[in-house]
Amino acid sequence: MATGTNIRTYFNGSWHEGDAPIIRAADHGAWLGSAVFDGARLVNGLTPDLDKHCARTNRSAEALMLTPTVSTADMVEIVKEGLKAYAPGAAVYIRPMYWGIDGDVTAIMPSAETTGFAICLEEIPMAAPEAAATLTKTQFRRPVLESAVVNAKAGCLYPNNARMLREARMKGFSNTLTCDVMGNVAETATANIFMVRDGEVFTPVPNGTFLSGITRARHIENLRADGVTVHETVLNYADFEAADEVFMSGNMNKVTPVSAFDTRQYQTGPITRRVRELYWDWAASNA
C-alpha cells in the first residue's frame, strides 16, 4: 500500500528502487497477520529517535513470537544508507518491518526459525503546522493485553483503528478520542493524545491498552525540562471537554493541534506551539 512517492525498499540484503514485492501468498504474515512495523521520520536532514524506533521494531517482533534478525545498530545504518538517495530537504517516512514466513505444526504459531525483514522508505510531506484534527467519540475501544498484542506495533491491531476512523468520518470528523475497555480515554485512532488546562499538561497514563509512543515520551521529557508540569493520569471525556488546548502526538507529524471534540471548539494555544518548538529544537541539537 503506497501512501507516498519515490519509494525505496530494502529486502534480502540490498536496496531496490520502487515498491518491491517482499511477501509470498503462503507466508505466515500474509495468511495469519504476524507482521509488525515501526515508523520514523527524515525531516530537514534530521532523523529524530531513529534508534528508538528501530529498537521497538525488534521488541514488537518478539511480542508476536517472531525472531528479530537485524540488530538495532545495523538497522539504523541500513536506513541511513537508503536515505542517501533522497534529495536534501526531502520528508521521508521510514518503515522497518518483520513478518512470519513459516508456521509451527498447528500453522497458527509463527516459526521462530524464519522471519522476513524489509524497510520501506516513502516521501510523505509533513502536515502544515496549522493543520488541525477534529475528534469525536467512538463506540470502539482499545483492547487489553489478555485479548490482543497491544505491546507491539502490530499490523493486526489496525483494522480496529480503521473502524474508528470510518465512524469518525461518517460523523464529519477526522479522528476519534478513543477509550480503553474501562471507559477511560486512551488515545486517538492514530496517535497519542494530550490536553492542557490552566497551563499544565495532561495525558493518559500508560496502562497497557495503547502504545505509549516514542514521540509522546520525547514531548513529556522536553516539556518537563522547559518547566511545564506534565501529569500522566486517568482522564475521561469530561476532562477533554473542559480542556483549554488539545493536541495529538505521533511520529507522522509529531504534533497535531486539535480544533474540536464533538461540539467543543479549541484554538491552537501557546503550549501546543511550544511543544512543536521544543521538539524540533531538541532534534536539531541532537543531530
Side-chain angles (χ1 to χ4, degrees), residues 195-202 227-231 244-245 270-271:
M195 53 164 275
V196 182
R197 187 171 61 228
D198 298 329
E200 298 186 355
V201 175
F202 299 79
V228 178
T229 300
V230 181
H231 306 271
D244 302 319
E245 304 174 44
I271 297 292

Side-chain angles (χ1 to χ4, degrees), residues 229-284:
T229 300
V230 181
H231 306 271
E232 295 182 86
T233 187
V234 177
L235 298 168
N236 55 39
Y237 283 148
D239 291 312
F240 282 84
E241 289 164 348
D244 302 319
E245 304 174 44
V246 178
F247 62 90
M248 294 160 51
S249 161
N251 171 66
M252 185 62 77
N253 292 306
K254 306 304 181 183
V255 179
T256 302
V258 172
S259 61
F261 171 44
D262 284 335
T263 59
R264 176 72 166 90
Q265 303 291 311
Y266 311 100
Q267 298 295 318
T268 300
I271 297 292
T272 302
R273 291 191 291 270
R274 183 62 177 153
V275 170
R276 181 180 281 110
E277 292 170 0
L278 289 170
Y279 183 85
W280 291 113
D281 286 348
W282 166 83

Side-chain angles (χ1 to χ4, degrees), residues 47-215:
T47 53
D49 282 326
L50 175 60
D51 57 336
K52 293 183 182 296
H53 287 284
C54 291
R56 189 171 64 182
T57 309
N58 283 345
R59 293 197 304 273
S60 292
E62 291 170 346
L64 259 71
M65 298 164 286
L66 302 172
T67 302
T69 57
V70 181
S71 71
T72 296
D74 287 345
M75 204 180 302
V76 168
E77 290 307 310
I78 294 168
V79 169
K80 289 181 175 179
E81 182 64 28
L83 291 174
K84 291 178 181 178
Y86 289 88
V92 180
Y93 184 67
I94 303 162
R95 186 170 61 249
M97 64 194 88
Y98 288 107
W99 64 95
I101 294 177
D102 298 314
D104 72 346
V105 66
T106 69
I108 302 301
M109 184 182 297
S111 169
E113 306 302 320
T114 52
T115 305
F117 174 75
I119 300 172
C120 183
L121 305 179
E122 300 183 61
E123 279 199 51
I124 302 177
M126 297 286 288
E130 64 273 13
T134 56
L135 307 181
T136 187
K137 300 179 180 73
T138 175
Q139 64 182 303
F140 302 110
R141 300 291 179 94
R142 284 284 182 230
V144 294
L145 185 60
E146 289 80 4
S147 60
V149 285
V150 289
N151 57 334
K153 196 167 177 67
C156 59
L157 296 172
Y158 281 75
N160 196 40
N161 300 39
R163 295 193 301 174
M164 298 173 195
L165 290 173
R166 182 175 63 179
E167 182 182 17
R169 291 169 186 174
M170 290 176 65
K171 294 165 64 177
F173 296 84
S174 65
N175 212 318
T176 63
L177 192 58
T178 305
C179 290
D180 58 26
V181 294
M182 289 75 73
N184 300 312
V185 170
E187 57 176 349
T188 72
T190 60
N192 294 139
I193 192 73
F194 289 81
M195 53 164 275
V196 182
R197 187 171 61 228
D198 298 329
E200 298 186 355
V201 175
F202 299 79
T203 190
V205 62
N207 62 0
T209 67
F210 64 93
L211 205 62
S212 179
I214 292 167
T215 306

